[in-house]
Amino acid sequence: MSEKEPVPPLSGQVALVTGANRGIGWSIGVALLEAGLRVYFGCRKDADPLRQKIRSLPGGDRGETVVLDMNDPASIEGAIDSVLHRSGRVDILVNNAGIVRDRLLVRMDEKEFREVIDVNLVGPFRMVKAVLRPMMKQRYGRIVSISSVVGATGNAGQANYAASKGGLEAFSKSVALEVASRGITVNVVAPGFIETDMTSGLPENVTNGVLERIPAGRFGRGEEIAHAVRFLVDPAAGYITGAVIPVNGGLHMP
Ligand code: NAI
């Protein structure tokens, strides 16, 4: 930690969450606002409706929006520049944005494979590269990426998605090793099945089959993922790095 630039308390820090207009990303943004941070809610396009939604929250005056498309390197650079310009620092990055394109491998084309890898793995690579420089200068940073239980277990119909999430975990561990001496931690939260738009479209027989396998007997909530993220971004969590924290109701115990 540099003597010139002391790390502000959590309530004075700046966080950026990708894909934060809904679902798990929204819950993470809200939890960080509740913790007193200035939070940039990343959204893929048109930030106006999101801005209105944030303003109505307690602490919403500390909520900002930033347009950021994981498929577009220029938009990622622009988003980080905008955060640095507006707030002077970036302490926390949460790589949450993600997509699925489920199909059995025999029917999956290369486009569907690449689309998922691009958003879920190349996107976080771009994001982490973009924040590392300011974080290294600050000699402080917290990076958390949202993977999935299937990154460890695999899942039929999700070869693309599972590969992207397993890759994200290995990527995070590698970066954690590279920056551990700079006061920057890099960790992963691996959710099980969480109630969001991503899972609401599952057919009833699939949902029931999944529920039978979850020891907790229910899907998780976005706030329960946010809680794990909130724990990892705390300044007191500085000795936890390269970890993959499962939040899955007991579905898989690595
Ligand atoms: P969601 O579909 O509700 O939200 C995904 C978010 O990513 C949206 O805000 C969307 O706009 C954003 N996004 C998609 N493509 C983007 C792009 N090219 N650029 C920028 N943003 C983009 O899904 P949910 O459930 O909230 O998922 C959030 C994360 O949690 C994802 O990484 C997902 O893989 C992961 N996850 C979700 C689980 C679940 O059961 N819902 C389980 C395990 C992991």
Side-chain angles (χ1 to χ4, degrees):
M1 201 179 301
S2 149
E3 301 230 327
K4 275 189 220 145
E5 280 189 72
V7 176
L10 194 62
S11 62
Q13 291 187 12
V14 178
L16 168 59
V17 184
T18 68
N21 54 307
R22 64 173 197 229
I24 293 172
W26 169 256
S27 299
I28 294 169
V30 171
L32 296 181
L33 270 188
E34 281 169 2
L37 286 94
R38 179 156 300 277
V39 182
Y40 286 82
F41 288 68
C43 66
R44 198 172 172 183
K45 47 193 173 204
D46 189 15
D48 284 343
L50 177 60
R51 196 171 297 120
Q52 300 303 326
K53 212 168 120 182
I54 295 168
R55 289 291 137 123
S56 65
L57 292 169
D61 55 321
R62 281 179 282 100
E64 311 270 355
T65 55
V66 64
V67 174
L68 179 156
D69 184 342
M70 303 298 268
N71 282 317
D72 178 1
S75 122
I76 289 178
E77 287 293 333
I80 305 297
D81 285 350
S82 165
V83 172
L84 291 172
H85 179 72
R86 289 193 264 169
S87 290
R89 56 189 296 127
V90 56
D91 301 287
I92 294 164
L93 165 67
V94 184
N95 283 313
N96 164 80
I99 58 168
V100 285
R101 296 282 183 272
D102 297 353
R103 207 182 289 278
L104 292 175
L105 192 72
V106 282
R107 299 206 193 97
M108 187 183 291
D109 61 29
E110 188 168 324
K111 183 170 169 283
E112 286 164 327
F113 191 84
R114 283 189 189 276
E115 270 174 13
V116 172
I117 298 290
D118 275 351
V119 174
N120 297 6
L121 182 56
V122 182
F125 156 78
R126 292 179 176 139
M127 292 296 305
V128 171
K129 267 201 79 121
V131 298
L132 267 191
R133 207 176 293 271
M135 284 183 178
M136 282 163 79
K137 216 169 130 211
Q138 291 164 192
R139 298 193 73 76
Y140 184 83
R142 296 277 181 269
I143 297 170
V144 181
S145 296
I146 309 301
S147 79
S148 163
V149 62
V150 308
T153 62
N155 196 23
Q158 291 198 310
N160 48 3
Y161 183 75
S164 73
K165 296 302 193 180
L168 185 58
E169 293 181 8
F171 166 76
S172 301
K173 290 175 186 176
S174 304
V175 181
L177 290 171
E178 292 183 18
V179 299
S181 64
R182 311 294 188 106
I184 303 168
T185 66
V186 188
N187 291 293
V188 173
V189 172
F193 286 81
I194 310 299
E195 284 168 5
T196 67
D197 288 0
M198 195 176 266
T199 48
S200 65
L202 289 173
E204 201 180 325
N205 61 329
V206 175
T207 304
N208 290 338
V210 168
L211 275 174
E212 273 173 26
R213 290 193 288 124
I214 303 174
R218 62 171 178 85
F219 278 25
R221 297 187 303 272
E223 303 87 74
E224 292 172 311
I225 305 306
H227 183 67
V229 173
R230 164 70 186 80
F231 167 74
L232 288 169
V233 301
D234 198 284
Y239 209 53
I240 304 174
T241 196
V244 179
I245 311 280
V247 184
N248 62 30
L251 177 63
H252 173 65
M253 300 183 189

